[in-house]
Structure formats: C-alpha cells, structure tokens
Amino acid sequence: MTDQASRPESDIPGKSTVASRTTLSHIMTGNDTNLLGTVHGGVIMKLVDDAAGAVAGRHSGGPAVTASMDEMVFLEPVRVGDLVHVRAQVNWTGRSSMEVGVRVMAERWNESTPAQQVGSAYLVFAAVDADGRPRPVPQVIPETERDRRRYQEAQIRRTHRLARRRAIKELREKRAAEGIED
C-alpha cells in the first residue's frame, strides 16, 4: 500500500482537497426518467462522472480520463423536479492516478427542505498528456480529519482493487494452463 510518505519526490507541489473540490447542480426533468417514472440511474452516473472529471482535471492541472468506477450506490430514488447536487473531491493520489469521491444530494426545487443524500460513488481517474500517456499528478494534501479518513479509506479501496485484479489474472492464467477456454 502506497502512501504519500513513501511516494517518490516530485517537482509538482501538492494540493489540498479544497483546491479542486466542486459541486455540479442540475434540475431533473421528464427527459431524465426511466420506465418507473424516476430519474434513470445512468443520468445520475453521467453527472457523477462529469463532476468527478472536473475535479480530476482541476487537481491534475490538465486532462484526466475515467479509469474505473469502484462503487456507485443509489440510496434513494431521484424524481422529476429534484434539484440534484453532485459534490466531488480528490480523496487520494498515486503517481498518475486519483481517486475522486462523489456524494449525490437531492432536494425539491420548489421547497426549502434540506437536501438528502441519494447516492455516492468512487471513481479512479488517470491524468494523461497530449499523447494519452500517463502523466504525474500533484499529491493530495488532506487538511481535515474527514479528509484524512477519506484518504485512508481510499488506500483500502486501492489495495482491494489491486488484489482483485491479481486474483482474477492468476485464475485466468491457471485456467488457460489447464486448457480451459472461456
């Protein structure tokens, strides 16, 4: 497990989580609905990817592409007329990758009730140069206790992601060696 203390030194100055944090807001309309009459999960996922991409680009100072979506959780349905707020921030950085955490909140557009959390997601972005090759990113500097917790949790998710990839690769190699075709 890599942490900031063991990262190779870089000429790129680190950035706080606040430096690239953003919120994207959108009113849901009838065009956003699924067959059940609620907002389609894919619409929410696009907003999540858009907000996370903006944060990754801001943090890395240039283009960043979605490498994976670790987790997308839908807690409550979103309805037509809801004002959806998608809040995103960088939780962790590697050499060229970043984990972006996203919280999805919704409130009725015409009421003064507090927004309610309706979803969350974790995405991994890779910073790329003009040729599409990985490029270094500034380390993220967690400032608050919450940011430090998010950073530690992101390290756990990364460890699990890498272990899962290794285990699947080993299984496929074993099956191939045994002559089992998929």
Side-chain angles (χ1 to χ4, degrees), residues 6 24 29 53 57 59 77 82 107 125 130 153 169 173 179 181-182:
S6 65
L24 174 69
T29 68
H59 184 84
D82 281 353
E107 61 181 299
F125 280 78
E153 290 173 358
K169 181 181 177 189
E173 288 170 352
E181 285 189 39
D182 286 338

Side-chain angles (χ1 to χ4, degrees), residues 31-182:
N31 292 334
D32 300 317
T33 60
N34 58 27
L35 296 175
L36 298 174
T38 57
V39 173
H40 194 288
V43 170
I44 301 299
M45 289 173 78
K46 181 180 183 331
L47 293 172
V48 164
D49 192 44
D50 287 347
V55 166
R58 277 176 150 181
H59 184 84
S60 68
V65 296
T66 310
S68 70
M69 180 179 275
D70 247 13
E71 187 176 308
M72 177 76 213
V73 177
F74 297 99
L75 302 170
E76 296 288 335
V78 177
R79 303 190 182 329
V80 170
D82 281 353
L83 177 57
V84 172
H85 308 285
V86 184
R87 299 179 181 148
Q89 79 169 46
V90 173
N91 290 333
W92 176 90
T93 52
R95 284 185 300 277
S96 62
S97 63
M98 302 157 275
E99 183 197 88
V100 179
V102 181
R103 178 172 288 169
V104 183
M105 308 293 288
E107 61 181 299
R108 296 305 295 171
W109 69 273
N110 60 348
E111 297 176 9
S112 60
T113 56
Q116 170 183 358
Q117 184 174 354
V118 295
S120 65
Y122 299 101
L123 296 89
V124 177
F125 280 78
V128 294
D129 63 17
D131 297 320
R133 289 185 300 247
R135 63 180 176 81
V137 298
Q139 71 177 10
V140 68
I141 302 169
E143 294 181 312
T144 67
E145 219 23 71
R146 174 183 267 177
D147 291 341
R148 284 186 278 283
R149 175 188 53 80
R150 288 179 176 174
Y151 181 86
Q152 291 170 331
E153 290 173 358
Q155 287 180 305
I156 293 168
R157 281 187 292 275
R158 180 176 185 273
T159 299
H160 286 259
R161 199 170 41 251
L162 295 175
R164 184 176 58 240
R165 282 186 199 155
R166 250 188 329 275
I168 290 170
K169 181 181 177 189
E170 289 170 5
L171 176 64
R172 289 181 179 174
E173 288 170 352
K174 179 182 176 205
R175 290 176 57 84
E178 293 171 352
I180 301 171
E181 285 189 39
D182 286 338

